[in-house]
């Protein structure tokens, strides 16, 4: 399957770039070559390899699948398809596909290259099989994500509190955020649970209501803490709902960003926005929900980042290509607030990825976290400091105030970990201290943007205290911060006393900070510390 003569040059240039691991540039060259020879399996397989190198598994899956369709005997194409399935946590499909890769190799008289491929594919098949067995052994319990009774869930308490906030025109409360988010989430789940199915001559017929995925994704974007599973068959029902809605609107549930970018304009050319808008909406929202579940349930941050990136790529592309189309036509998913919600989820996942692979050479660079934080801060610079109407409080907090708070927190995270890396690298003490001070300042700004009754407020102050301590803060400076934390802790219990974070150890961390505060106050009272004394780490520890 040699490439056509016109495609040989961009293919060769792509090969050179791929060897240099310049995957983005190589991807473009292979795309150019495919434009000249669209029936060549090697070109699609090579472009899939570029996508794998970029962590774009959906695109890799689409191209590798196309390569296997063009040449079912091409082992590398099957291998790249299997690798894409692994990246997307489609483990059962990965096992099947690794077997196809092995079957595509000669049964005897293998060359040295083919023998090496066989050993690699066998190893990957073994790993995928073990992963599949592990996945099947795990069962999702209803209490896994909802460990307390419904009456103590944050949203249940928030519904009651919101009723008292409206008469006083009080907007700056996390009760608005979680109550509004949960209303969307709960409504979506209720719609999902109404789906019925019946046997058909071919397959299954589904009867239900469209819009469940929209409501669930709206809730998740408003506040990810709303994600709660109270039924063991949640994901079975969710997948059936996606299948039902996808069939209804012609969405791309298994497509990649490239597929959507190529096909959506074609559909619009022969149809209308009434057909294209719901297909785009369901596709993007499905990717977002999948990404969140991959990260939270499967601990697969790479798959999550790929799905978030695919969603953002399509949305940015669509806003450019259809810049003259109204949001009423192209849909709410193209609104700044919706896109901002996905950016926040992606940045949070990227931060988690860095923590799992931290250090100056991490494949998840701190510079990208800082760039994302600065982007949000600049984007929100002209937003009002309060909602225009108290009934808009939930939306305003979720898509203006909280993203700005997260951006400052991410900036703090950047300086905090840059300081650690710089210290480890033996950089000048003054440079390290400056990063600690900048981290402290950013975390304080973040905390001030969260309502005092949100658990995020004292938790962010906790990180400010930790960084201030590293920066060489005085007893007086630390007490000022710790007193603020001490004063807001009672307020968060009204809503967040039994939140998922509290169960995961939030209270232990905050209690340790308050004990640290007591130790400093005792040291000041006993004369062991002066107000301007630098407090050493571990002061007062037993």
């Amino acid at each position: 399957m040699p490439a056509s003569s016109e495609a040989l040059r961009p293919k060769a240039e792509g090969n050179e770039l791929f060897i240099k691991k310049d995957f983005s540039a190589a991807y473009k060259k292979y795309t150019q070559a495919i434009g000249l020879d669209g029936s060549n399996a090697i070109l699609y397989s090579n472009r899939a390899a570029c996508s794998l190198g970029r962590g774009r598994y959906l695109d890799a899956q689409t191209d590798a699948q196309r390569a296997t369709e063009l040449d079912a005997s091409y082992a590398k194409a099957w291998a790249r398809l299997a690798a894409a399935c692994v990246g997307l946590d489609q483990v059962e499909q990965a096992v099947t596909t690794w077997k196809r890769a092995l079957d595509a190799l000669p049964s005897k008289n293998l060359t040295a290259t083919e023998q090496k491929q066989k050993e690699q594919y066998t190893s990957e098949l073994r790993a995928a099989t073990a992963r599949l067995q592990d996945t099947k052994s795990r069962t999702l319990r209803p209490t896994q994500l909802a460990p307390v009774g419904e009456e103590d869930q944050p949203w249940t308490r928030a519904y009651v509190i919101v009723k008292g906030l409206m008469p006083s025109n009080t907007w700056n409360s996390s009760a608005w955020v979680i109550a509004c988010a949960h209303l969307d989430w709960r409504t979506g789940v209720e719609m999902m649970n109404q789906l019925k199915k019946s046997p058909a001559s071919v397959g299954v017929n589904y009867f239900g209501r469209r819009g469940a995925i929209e409501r669930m994704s709206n809730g998740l974007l408003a506040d990810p803490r709303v994600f709660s599973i109270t039924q063991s068959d949640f994901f079975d029902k969710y997948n059936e709902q996606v299948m039902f809605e996808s069939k209804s609107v012609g969405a791309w549930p298994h497509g990649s960003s490239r597929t959507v970018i190529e096909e959506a304009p074609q559909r619009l050319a022969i149809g209308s926005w009434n057909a294209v808008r719901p297909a785009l909406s369901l596709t993007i929202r499905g990717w977002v929900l999948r990404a969140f579940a991959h990260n939270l349930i499967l601990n697969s941050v790479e798959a999550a980042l790929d799905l978030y990136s695919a969603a953002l790529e399509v949305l940015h592309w669509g806003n450019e290509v259809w810049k003259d189309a109204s949001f009423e036509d192209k849909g709410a998913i193209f609104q700044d607030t919706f896109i901002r919600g996905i950016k926040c989820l992606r940045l949070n996942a990227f931060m988690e990825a860095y923590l799992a692979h931290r250090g100056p050479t991490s494949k998840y660079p701190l510079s990208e976290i800082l760039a994302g934080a600065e982007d949000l801060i600049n984007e929100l610079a002209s937003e009002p400091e309060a909602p225009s109407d108290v009934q808009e409080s939930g939306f305003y907090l979720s898509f203006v105030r909280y993203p700005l708070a997260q951006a400052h927190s991410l900036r703090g995270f950047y300086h905090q970990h840059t300081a650690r890396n710089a210290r480890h690298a033996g950089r000048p003490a003054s440079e390290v201290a400056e990063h600690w001070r900048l981290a402290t300042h950013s975390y304080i700004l973040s905390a001030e943007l969260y309502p005092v009754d949100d658990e995020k407020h004292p938790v962010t102050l906790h990180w400010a205290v930790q960084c201030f301590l590293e920066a060489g803060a005085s007893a007086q400076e630390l007490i000022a911060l710790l007193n603020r934390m001490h004063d807001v802790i009672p307020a968060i219990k009204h809503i967040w006393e039994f939140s998922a974070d509290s169960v995961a150890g939030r209270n232990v961390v905050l209690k340790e900070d308050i004990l640290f505060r007591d130790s400093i106050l005792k040291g000041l009272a006993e004369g062991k510390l002066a107000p301007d004394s630098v407090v050493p780490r571990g002061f007062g520890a037993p």
Side-chain angles (χ1 to χ4, degrees):
M1 47 185 153
S4 67
S5 56
E6 297 87 353
L8 285 175
R9 182 172 178 178
K11 175 180 181 286
E13 291 171 344
N15 292 346
E16 290 179 11
L17 291 164
F18 185 86
I19 291 170
K20 296 175 183 176
K21 296 190 176 181
D22 189 347
F23 301 122
S24 295
Y27 183 96
K28 292 176 182 177
K29 289 295 180 181
Y30 291 131
T31 299
Q32 183 181 344
I34 288 170
L36 298 167
D37 183 359
S39 59
N40 188 281
I42 292 177
L43 295 178
Y44 282 100
S45 179
N46 286 1
R47 192 167 71 173
C50 294
S51 293
L52 290 172
R54 297 164 61 219
R56 300 301 303 272
Y57 302 109
L58 279 173
D59 285 341
Q61 188 177 53
T62 298
D63 278 341
Q65 181 68 49
R66 178 61 178 148
T68 63
E69 292 167 358
L70 289 168
D71 185 355
S73 66
Y74 189 28
K76 275 189 181 180
W78 288 109
R80 286 163 182 167
L81 179 58
C85 292
V86 170
L88 291 168
D89 278 314
Q90 298 171 355
V91 190
E92 192 163 354
Q93 188 176 342
V95 169
T96 302
T97 312
W98 281 121
K99 290 178 181 177
R100 292 295 301 269
L102 283 165
D103 290 343
L105 291 170
S107 59
K108 56 185 178 179
N109 300 324
L110 278 69
T111 65
T113 299
E114 289 168 340
Q115 182 60 41
K116 188 175 181 181
Q117 286 177 267
K118 183 176 181 179
E119 291 169 1
Q120 178 196 346
Y121 300 169
T122 302
S123 175
E124 295 287 358
L125 173 60
R126 192 179 301 117
T129 303
R131 189 169 168 183
L132 178 61
Q133 291 171 345
D134 178 63
T135 301
K136 288 182 174 179
S137 69
R138 282 183 277 151
T139 56
L140 181 67
R141 301 183 305 277
T143 57
Q144 188 169 339
L145 296 177
V148 298
E150 188 64 24
E151 69 280 2
D152 284 323
Q153 293 287 3
W155 40 85
T156 305
R157 295 184 172 193
Y159 285 134
V160 176
I161 292 171
V162 162
K163 292 177 183 177
L165 296 176
M166 294 185 68
S168 61
N169 223 33
T170 301
W171 64 269
N172 198 16
S173 169
S174 62
W176 287 110
V177 177
I178 196 64
C180 293
H182 185 259
L183 180 60
D184 269 323
W185 177 265
R186 183 188 70 193
T187 303
V189 172
E190 289 172 352
M191 293 170 70
M192 177 185 79
N193 283 329
Q194 292 170 11
L195 185 70
K196 305 296 182 185
K197 58 183 179 179
S198 63
S201 55
V202 179
V204 177
N205 286 329
Y206 290 99
F207 305 92
R209 297 170 60 192
R210 281 168 42 190
I213 305 305
E214 178 180 350
R215 296 300 295 268
M216 291 167 72
S217 61
N218 283 346
L220 185 72
L221 289 168
D223 193 327
R225 292 172 292 184
V226 80
F227 187 92
S228 177
I229 295 175
T230 57
Q231 53 195 83
S232 58
D233 61 349
F234 176 90
F235 286 110
D236 291 334
K237 287 183 173 293
Y238 171 79
N239 288 332
E240 289 173 350
Q241 182 70 30
V242 170
M243 192 182 308
F244 160 68
E245 292 200 36
S246 294
K247 274 183 147 183
S248 300
V249 302
W252 296 269
H254 305 297
S256 65
S257 57
R258 172 166 285 278
T259 304
V260 176
I261 288 170
E262 289 176 350
E263 294 184 8
Q266 296 171 7
R267 289 195 193 181
L268 190 59
I270 60 174
S272 70
W273 277 115
N274 288 335
V276 176
R277 181 178 58 252
L280 285 168
S281 178
L282 184 63
T283 300
I284 297 297
R285 293 174 184 278
W287 284 346
V288 170
L289 287 164
R290 267 178 69 192
F292 190 82
H294 272 296
N295 196 20
L296 183 67
I297 307 298
L298 300 173
N299 296 317
S300 179
V301 72
E302 280 196 318
L305 287 171
D306 179 39
L307 290 159
Y308 288 137
S309 296
L312 290 171
E313 183 179 357
V314 170
L315 294 175
H316 290 315
W317 163 83
N319 269 335
E320 180 60 31
V321 172
W322 297 316
K323 57 189 173 187
D324 296 327
S326 68
F327 289 116
E328 184 178 355
D329 278 339
K330 58 189 177 185
I333 60 171
F334 290 98
Q335 294 272 16
D336 289 343
T337 48
F338 188 91
I339 295 172
R340 191 178 303 144
I342 300 177
K343 285 181 181 177
C344 288
L345 288 175
R346 185 186 179 279
L347 282 167
N348 188 61
F350 199 94
M351 182 179 68
E352 291 178 22
Y354 175 82
L355 289 173
H357 306 276
R358 63 183 74 192
T361 60
S362 173
K363 63 186 286 191
Y364 305 101
L366 286 169
S367 58
E368 187 165 337
I369 294 174
L370 180 63
E374 299 294 348
D375 173 56
L376 286 172
I377 290 169
N378 293 333
E379 181 181 314
L380 292 161
S382 60
E383 292 289 342
E385 294 187 2
S388 57
D389 187 312
V390 70
Q391 298 210 33
E392 297 296 321
S393 300
F395 187 87
Y396 171 81
L397 287 165
S398 289
F399 296 103
V400 177
R401 191 89 167 187
Y402 276 46
L404 186 57
Q406 182 181 349
H408 283 293
S409 183
L410 288 166
R411 187 192 262 174
F413 181 90
Y414 165 81
H415 286 294
Q416 177 185 7
H417 288 272
T418 299
R420 288 178 175 171
N421 293 339
R423 182 170 60 190
H424 183 73
R427 302 294 298 170
S430 59
E431 177 185 328
V432 176
E434 178 63 12
H435 279 296
W436 286 123
R437 282 190 289 270
L438 289 170
T440 303
H441 177 67
S442 295
Y443 280 129
I444 291 173
L445 285 177
S446 174
E448 289 172 345
L449 287 163
Y450 287 119
V452 294
D453 63 2
D454 195 312
E455 61 184 345
K456 291 176 181 285
H457 191 114
V459 168
T460 309
L461 285 177
H462 160 79
W463 290 115
V465 168
Q466 296 304 306
C467 294
F468 214 9
L469 189 60
E470 294 282 5
S474 67
Q476 183 173 275
E477 291 171 321
L478 284 169
I479 283 297
L481 265 185
L482 288 163
N483 280 344
R484 288 171 61 177
M485 184 187 299
H486 174 270
D487 293 343
V488 301
I489 287 175
I492 73 171
K493 291 183 178 179
H494 297 301
I495 300 172
W496 303 99
E497 184 177 10
F498 298 107
S499 70
D501 281 352
S502 74
V503 175
R506 180 204 70 202
N507 293 344
V508 174
V509 171
L510 296 182
K511 183 178 180 181
E512 289 174 352
D513 286 335
I514 299 308
L515 290 174
F516 182 50
R517 166 185 174 270
D518 294 343
S519 296
I520 296 176
L521 288 173
K522 182 179 179 182
L524 289 168
E526 294 176 350
K528 294 179 181 178
L529 287 173
D532 60 352
S533 297
V534 173
V535 180
R537 176 167 286 281
F539 179 81

